[in-house]
Amino acid sequence: MSDPVQTRHEVRRALDALEERLEPLIDARLREFLHGLEWTEILRALDESRGRPRGQYSRNDLAAQLRMLTERLGELGYPFDDDPRHPRRVSSLGTQLRQLRNTERHNDVLEPHDAWRAGDHAAQLLDALGDVEGARRLAAIRDDVGRALYGGGQPMPARRELMPAEDIDGAVTPEVPIPAIPAVLDGAPLGDERLAYEPWHPVILGERSDIENLKRDACRQRVQGALKIIVETEGPVSTERLARLTAAAFERRISPALRRSLMRQIKQLPGDIDSDGFIWPVDIKLAEWTQFGPGPRAKPEDLCPREVANALRYWTDQLGAPASAPEVQAATLATFGRQRRTASVREVLNRAEALLE
């Protein structure tokens, strides 16, 4: 299957079949929690609570379906990751399929093996969701592609067990309890508290050879796709952290040379990079953004000063005191799980206060 048109057709075939099966599975799992609302209202509430513009949400759109499987749904958490033997299996497979779907839709380079991966990941996902018939159909699509690719005596690729990428943070424990902060939207199907910060869940998105061969179009576009998904999921995110997370997604530790290569790729992404070195999702307008995500970050350098400034503004209003007041600063730090005012923390606070002027 060396014909790129045929390769794209087979990827689309697998994704279309997956799209057809996912909607009723999502609806059945969430119906009891939504009290008559469509599940797309969760996506609408997520975007509004994060300060993003409302989009078009369709139950039959694979992009919307995969978001439901891969994002934290407020107080519902990750309701599809309910197998204690394989935690985060569904969301990890969903993330890999998001990348494939984006590659296909953006007309990026697809290689023949991508057609096999599309069918294989989709079959594994439906199996994890309990859709035996759907998994069988997608496995048949995968096997059709396998015969076309490898029927001439070449060995079939080994089915790689789904493994998480290296967790570069480890467990992050807050220094103090995170204060309860009311939700941005009243009556939203996400719970009563403001959406917490959700770090990127490490997952393998490609081979080491992809990130080591960025001069090849397919490799470069695969790495670019991973960068975009991480920004969309966790942004705002520091470019340094983004480089480390992306390296881990391709089974590499960051090195000076790899950092330089990834920084060149990061500069080509859509979305603003602010003066503090944080890159933002493309649909967020910095001048209008007033949100913040409570919860601890692994390092003080991972705290976005603009986000801290928004938290300072919130606590200034709540406590009726200036941003420099000890009680306002203590509440702001507690919002991000911090108490100790190390030099790095003071630097972030000073930068945040400057943004309020």
Side-chain angles (χ1 to χ4, degrees), residues 70-133:
T70 57
E71 297 184 22
R72 177 179 286 278
L73 307 181
E75 288 187 350
L76 294 177
Y78 294 89
F80 301 94
D81 280 322
D82 57 356
D83 185 348
R85 300 168 301 170
H86 304 287
R88 300 302 294 266
R89 184 184 181 203
V90 166
S91 54
S92 295
L93 285 164
T95 298
Q96 293 174 329
L97 285 158
R98 279 179 78 167
Q99 185 189 37
L100 267 173
R101 179 260 174 202
N102 291 345
T103 299
E104 192 277 328
R105 285 299 175 92
H106 298 156
N107 287 318
D108 288 343
V109 176
L110 285 166
E111 297 186 310
H113 186 57
D114 289 322
W116 189 88
R117 289 173 58 234
D120 185 56
H121 290 349
Q124 290 188 63
L125 178 62
L126 292 178
D127 179 67
L129 292 170
D131 182 0
V132 176
E133 174 60 22

Side-chain angles (χ1 to χ4, degrees), residues 104-341:
E104 192 277 328
R105 285 299 175 92
H106 298 156
N107 287 318
D108 288 343
V109 176
L110 285 166
E111 297 186 310
H113 186 57
D114 289 322
W116 189 88
R117 289 173 58 234
D120 185 56
H121 290 349
Q124 290 188 63
L125 178 62
L126 292 178
D127 179 67
L129 292 170
D131 182 0
V132 176
E133 174 60 22
R136 185 190 65 76
R137 291 186 185 181
L138 266 298
I141 291 175
R142 176 200 65 206
D143 293 344
D144 284 348
V145 172
R147 282 187 289 272
L149 277 176
Y150 307 104
Q154 300 127 326
M156 286 280 286
R159 286 199 61 199
R160 186 175 178 181
E161 187 68 24
L162 181 70
M163 295 291 290
E166 178 188 7
D167 187 347
I168 66 171
D169 295 333
V172 181
T173 304
E175 297 172 355
V176 292
I178 309 294
I181 300 176
V184 173
L185 300 177
D186 293 331
L190 303 175
D192 298 327
E193 294 189 8
R194 180 179 287 257
L195 290 179
Y197 164 74
E198 185 67 18
W200 165 256
H201 170 63
V203 60
I204 298 295
L205 292 176
E207 307 290 339
R208 289 174 64 99
S209 58
D210 292 326
I211 207 166
E212 293 169 352
N213 292 280
L214 292 175
K215 291 184 179 180
R216 287 191 64 225
D217 286 345
C219 296
R220 183 177 64 256
Q221 290 172 359
R222 194 166 288 130
V223 171
Q224 284 269 328
L227 288 165
K228 290 174 184 177
I229 288 177
I230 296 172
V231 172
E232 184 180 341
T233 301
E234 189 176 309
V237 57
S238 75
T239 55
E240 296 289 344
R241 175 173 169 79
L242 177 58
R244 296 195 307 271
L245 291 171
T246 304
F250 291 86
E251 302 185 278
R252 281 286 309 270
R253 293 276 185 98
I254 200 71
S255 67
L258 181 55
R259 177 191 173 278
R260 288 192 296 271
S261 294
L262 286 173
M263 286 299 175
R264 287 193 289 269
Q265 299 301 316
I266 289 169
K267 289 177 182 177
Q268 297 174 32
L269 294 176
D272 294 323
I273 298 178
D274 65 24
S275 57
D276 295 297
F278 282 74
I279 186 165
W280 293 72
V282 68
D283 54 357
I284 286 182
K285 297 180 180 179
L286 295 189
E288 302 172 6
W289 195 72
T290 60
Q291 306 305 323
F292 57 92
R297 276 52 164 182
K299 302 177 180 180
E301 297 80 17
D302 295 336
L303 276 171
C304 176
R306 190 174 295 272
E307 203 168 355
V308 176
N310 290 343
L312 277 171
R313 188 180 292 111
Y314 171 84
W315 286 112
T316 293
D317 293 342
Q318 293 295 307
L319 300 176
S324 58
E327 63 271 29
V328 170
Q329 298 214 346
T332 299
L333 290 180
T335 299
F336 301 105
R338 293 195 171 270
Q339 183 180 45
R340 293 177 294 124
R341 301 193 186 201

